[in-house]
Amino acid sequence: MTWLVPLPVVMPLLGAALTLLLVARPRAQRWVSLTVLTATVAVAATLLLFSSVDGPLVVEVGGWVAPLGIVLVADQLAALMLVVSAAVTLCVLVYSIGQGTADGNEETPLSVYHPTYLVLTAGVCNAFLSGDLFNLYVGFEILLVASYVLLTLGSTETRIRAGTTYVVVSLLSSLIFLVAIGLVYAATGTLNLAQLVDRLDALPDDLRLVLQGMLLLAFGIKAAVFPLSAWLPDSYPTAPAPVTAVFAGLLTKVGVYAIIRTETLLFPGGRTADLLLVVAALTMVVGILGAVAQSDVKRLLSFTLISHIGYMLFGVGLSTSLGLSAAIFYVVHHITIQTTLFLAAGLVERRGGSTALDRLGGLARLSPLLAVLFFLPALNLAGIPPFSGFLGKLGLVQAGVDDGGPLAWTLVAGGLLTSLLTLYAIARVWNLAFWRAPHPDMPNVGDTVRAARTDGAEQPHREPDPEASGAVLPRLMIGSTAALVVLGLALTVVAGPLFDISTDAADDLLRRTPYVEAVFPDGAP
């Protein structure tokens, strides 16, 4: 089944080309994009099944034998990331179609949106499958170029300013990554990940530390770890709701994936483990303190995004099977839940006219379904039992306790504190946006509230009509968000098998030999 491996990259690229040709036919664009992403989900699920049974699947691109040519490798970690990312991008695409149809802007900017969105998907998939450091760089650049376009859709002053910051930071991280690639090649003579396993081990410790540090710096910027995360809260919230959702769910996780891949395959047991634990603790605590201080739903969620990256680094820094498997589980959980919450925030903005907490209220009464769609993933993010967020954090805490070191115990305490503060931040959003009385400036609320106040006690207060113009949310937007909520709940139901897959993936990563032998069955040259 190795012929399936390149399809998650090839299909979105071909779909992007076709949708570009169909720029004057938005309905055809939508069907092409939906078909391509649905097929990508099916292919990714098939790759996960076969990689779990047969081991990593390898394709030599262009027929060039490794290490001369580029290889694509679908092991359990890559296949699992493909499945969840493809499912999330499909749901976000449906959401964006619903938003475009409801807003009456099917041709602009959706005519540009579809090809760019598919290119972004291809870049993400290429990064997950890459068995070569330079091809990993290419995957990052593909998704980053597409993200520049998506971030500035609409060309408003705020989006252009945020996009400029995003571009500068992304180019800086890409430059550091490219310099690191040059140094790795100069030191080892190869960029093939499987071949680098032995060649990096043969280098002096100080040189290995320099190469590892540069790669961590580049990936740390992309993953938005503290103190390299200041750019994210000012960039993501300005984009359209579906763009913000897919950015929050996927782009930072590609950076986390790169950290997991390089730290386990290229630099196992390196001297940066303690540094990773310190950075993980700071990322968790500083990020969640930033979230607590926010008065806007999107910015609050952006800071929780940063904070929970720390949980993933926690598992990677422990360098144990349990820690790494819990980190992989948490990545899958967080991609789904964080995307869902940003889609729900888009619905909040549409129904309430704003995401500022001081201008919202009464959403639980005005739109009970929206309240449910926000409430369930919010509890999941906070780690309330029995949701997948709780199970992932429980695995990380157990891994920290088993380690028993001072830094590990510090991370356990930091993780528990972060979870409590996440619950506080989410409860604050619920109380202000959903539970209290509607704000008079909210759409379809102000007129009735003002009328009730004018007439005084002689006329009873009239409840806002949720069926009034503009109060009914588009079905596709509701349906796609609900699908992700169900997917998040499904992670709890299948947590046992998912943890088994994560454990198998973690064991293969720590052993390294399954990956190397899949690329070089006769031994690395």
Side-chain angles (χ1 to χ4, degrees):
M1 303 300 292
T2 55
W3 62 274
L4 289 173
V5 175
L7 291 186
V9 180
V10 173
M11 290 192 301
L13 288 177
L14 293 177
L18 184 55
T19 53
L20 194 59
L21 294 175
L22 297 171
V23 69
R25 302 178 62 186
R27 182 178 298 237
Q29 275 191 325
R30 293 196 293 271
W31 280 110
V32 169
S33 299
L34 289 171
T35 302
V36 166
L37 289 184
T38 302
T40 303
V41 173
V43 170
T46 305
L47 287 175
L48 178 59
L49 175 63
F50 278 92
S51 64
S52 300
V53 175
D54 301 329
L57 304 175
V58 180
V59 165
E60 296 168 336
V61 177
W64 290 89
V65 179
L68 296 178
I70 292 173
V71 295
L72 299 178
V73 184
D75 62 353
Q76 288 191 79
L77 174 61
L80 183 59
M81 294 298 101
L82 285 176
V83 170
V84 66
S85 62
V88 163
T89 52
L90 176 59
C91 290
V92 174
L93 177 67
V94 174
Y95 183 99
S96 64
I97 291 174
Q99 178 175 302
T101 303
D103 292 343
N105 59 349
E106 295 179 332
E107 298 183 9
T108 305
L110 284 182
S111 58
V112 179
Y113 177 83
H114 284 279
T116 309
Y117 190 83
L118 290 175
V119 169
L120 177 78
T121 304
V124 171
C125 293
N126 185 66
F128 288 147
L129 291 170
S130 179
D132 180 278
L133 265 184
F134 187 77
N135 192 42
L136 177 60
Y137 170 80
V138 171
F140 271 116
E141 292 308 295
I142 292 173
L143 69 91
L144 287 174
V145 169
S147 67
Y148 301 154
V149 178
L150 294 173
L151 190 63
T152 55
L153 282 178
S155 301
T156 64
E157 181 181 352
T158 303
R159 290 178 184 173
I160 294 297
R161 186 184 304 112
T164 301
T165 302
Y166 179 75
V167 168
V168 171
V169 173
S170 297
L171 289 178
L172 175 61
S173 65
S174 295
L175 178 61
I176 295 172
F177 188 16
L178 192 59
V179 172
I181 287 173
L183 293 176
V184 169
Y185 187 78
T188 62
T190 185
L191 295 175
N192 183 282
L193 294 178
Q195 193 175 24
L196 282 171
V197 170
D198 290 332
R199 297 199 178 185
L200 284 173
D201 287 346
L203 294 179
D205 289 344
D206 290 343
L207 180 55
R208 290 180 74 249
L209 183 62
V210 170
L211 298 177
Q212 184 181 12
M214 291 198 66
L215 288 174
L216 274 178
L217 179 59
F219 298 147
I221 296 174
K222 297 180 185 299
V225 303
F226 182 83
L228 309 173
S229 56
W231 58 272
L232 190 150
D234 293 327
S235 299
Y236 283 12
T238 62
V243 175
T244 302
V246 78
F247 279 19
L250 288 181
L251 296 199
T252 53
K253 307 312 180 301
V254 179
V256 172
Y257 168 85
I259 292 175
I260 293 174
R261 179 68 72 187
T262 54
E263 286 297 298
T264 55
L265 186 62
L266 303 184
F267 305 102
R271 287 186 286 174
T272 60
D274 288 347
L275 175 63
L276 277 175
L277 292 178
V278 172
V279 170
L282 292 173
T283 302
M284 283 193 290
V285 175
V286 175
I288 200 58
L289 289 177
V292 169
Q294 300 308 306
S295 60
D296 182 272
V297 177
K298 286 185 177 180
R299 285 186 62 84
L300 185 149
L301 291 177
S302 295
F303 275 99
T304 63
L305 166 61
I306 295 170
S307 176
H308 287 240
I309 295 294
Y311 284 106
M312 305 165 206
L313 294 183
F314 179 15
V316 178
L318 290 176
S319 301
T320 62
S321 177
L322 178 57
L324 194 56
S325 63
I328 294 171
F329 181 93
Y330 203 82
V331 170
V332 174
H333 149 81
H334 199 256
I335 288 175
T336 307
I337 299 305
Q338 197 75 50
T339 305
T340 308
L341 284 171
F342 271 101
L343 292 185
L347 295 174
V348 168
E349 184 174 23
R350 190 175 192 90
R351 180 62 188 89
S354 174
T355 54
L357 292 175
D358 59 356
R359 300 181 64 84
L360 293 172
L363 289 175
R365 184 164 71 248
L366 296 174
S367 183
L369 180 56
L370 173 57
V372 172
L373 295 180
F374 180 86
F375 185 71
L376 291 177
L379 290 182
N380 206 336
L381 182 71
I384 300 300
F387 294 115
S388 57
F390 168 77
L391 299 175
K393 291 173 184 175
L394 182 62
L396 290 168
V397 168
Q398 183 179 345
V401 172
D402 290 347
D403 182 278
L407 278 177
W409 277 107
T410 302
L411 264 295
V412 169
L416 295 176
L417 175 63
T418 300
S419 189
L420 288 174
L421 290 177
T422 301
L423 180 60
Y424 168 77
I426 293 300
R428 183 165 166 264
V429 173
W430 178 261
N431 288 333
L432 296 179
F434 290 88
W435 199 247
R436 68 176 177 180
H439 193 279
D441 292 336
M442 289 173 58
N444 310 112
V445 172
D447 293 340
T448 56
V449 172
R450 281 189 291 271
R453 289 175 177 173
T454 300
D455 295 343
E458 296 180 3
Q459 182 177 350
H461 176 74
R462 292 174 291 173
E463 291 292 335
D465 181 8
E467 299 298 327
S469 176
V472 179
L473 296 170
R475 291 182 179 179
L476 282 180
M477 296 175 70
I478 286 287
S480 55
T481 307
L484 279 181
V485 171
V486 171
L487 179 58
L489 296 176
L491 294 180
T492 303
V493 177
V494 299
L498 181 56
F499 249 118
D500 290 339
I501 295 173
S502 300
T503 301
D504 291 342
D507 291 341
D508 287 346
L509 288 171
L510 293 174
R511 289 203 310 267
R512 302 196 293 172
T513 51
Y515 190 97
V516 176
E517 291 174 355
V519 178
F520 297 110
D522 299 324

